[in-house]
Amino acid sequence: MTTYILIFISAVFVNNIVLAQFLGICPFLGISRKIETAAGMSGAVAFVMTLSTIITSIIWKTVLEPFQIGFLQTIVFILIIAALVQMVEIILKKISPALYQSLGVFLPLITTNCTILGVAIMVIQKEFNLLESVIFAISTAIGFGLALTLFAGLREQLSMVQLPRGMEGVPIALITAGLLAMAFMGFAGIV
């Protein structure tokens, strides 16, 4: 039980996928203007990340590793992730057209979101069993969602403030992201 708690705390706070490992910066900066959109993207990423981690772990242990074709890992994992993203896109289009429209081009970009592929590969590298893999994927997705939602909230607040012209847009977003990453560095001594 302690192992699972350590995996959770480490993935959410200490080794946050965005703020400590710098994976997923594109959606972090691109989709973080509104909290609702950030929360929707977090949910979609969590769903795809969890499912893809389960499927890729099973395929790694039953096909790629036993037949010694691990060199196909990246290609196989990308194909699995792409198929899952298509499934999420179809479901969102039917269930929540407003969220589908607000995510726009970023929804298909989940396919190339390096956090999802990164988690699938990290699980293999860390030699997690299936339960540890699922906990790691869910925890990483929660950490991604936490960072994205916090950043979106900060950006919403910053949009209401008068800034110098040279600081508007990307410069203040990057400074804010750096300060948020430094805040998460405070968790480094926990695990």
Side-chain angles (χ1 to χ4, degrees):
M1 186 65 169
T2 307
T3 305
Y4 304 131
I5 293 170
L6 289 175
I7 289 171
F8 178 81
I9 291 171
S10 176
V12 173
F13 299 110
V14 179
N15 292 319
N16 187 287
I17 196 87
V18 178
L19 300 173
Q21 298 180 21
F22 306 114
L23 294 174
I25 297 295
C26 179
F28 180 70
L29 292 173
I31 200 84
S32 61
R33 290 200 173 104
K34 293 183 181 177
I35 292 176
E36 298 84 27
T37 310
M41 178 65 139
S42 300
V45 166
F47 179 74
V48 172
M49 187 179 293
T50 305
L51 273 180
S52 67
T53 301
I54 292 168
I55 294 169
T56 55
S57 291
I58 291 170
I59 288 181
W60 173 261
K61 290 189 191 301
T62 59
V63 177
L64 298 177
E65 191 177 39
F67 292 109
Q68 297 178 353
I69 52 174
F71 59 90
L72 294 174
Q73 174 187 27
T74 305
I75 295 169
V76 171
F77 287 7
I78 288 173
L79 290 173
I80 291 168
I81 292 167
L84 288 172
V85 169
Q86 288 299 314
M87 185 177 72
V88 168
E89 192 170 355
I90 291 167
I91 291 170
L92 273 181
K93 198 173 195 178
K94 299 276 187 200
I95 293 175
S96 179
L99 180 58
Y100 176 78
Q101 289 290 8
S102 67
L103 289 175
V105 71
F106 291 100
L107 189 58
L109 287 178
I110 292 176
T111 305
T112 59
N113 187 343
C114 54
T115 59
I116 296 170
L117 181 61
V119 168
I121 292 172
M122 280 187 234
V123 162
I124 305 301
Q125 289 175 342
K126 294 177 188 250
E127 297 179 359
F128 284 154
N129 62 36
L130 189 59
L131 182 58
E132 290 171 339
S133 299
V134 170
I135 290 171
F136 182 73
I138 291 170
S139 303
T140 302
I142 290 170
F144 177 80
L146 177 67
L148 190 62
T149 307
L150 283 173
F151 189 56
L154 290 169
R155 286 186 77 179
E156 277 188 7
Q157 291 296 316
L158 283 171
S159 69
M160 294 185 257
V161 176
Q162 183 68 30
L163 295 169
R165 189 179 309 167
M167 292 297 291
E168 292 175 354
V170 175
I172 194 67
L174 292 175
I175 290 170
T176 306
L179 291 172
L180 190 59
M182 287 175 59
F184 269 70
M185 284 175 59
F187 295 113
I190 292 177
V191 178

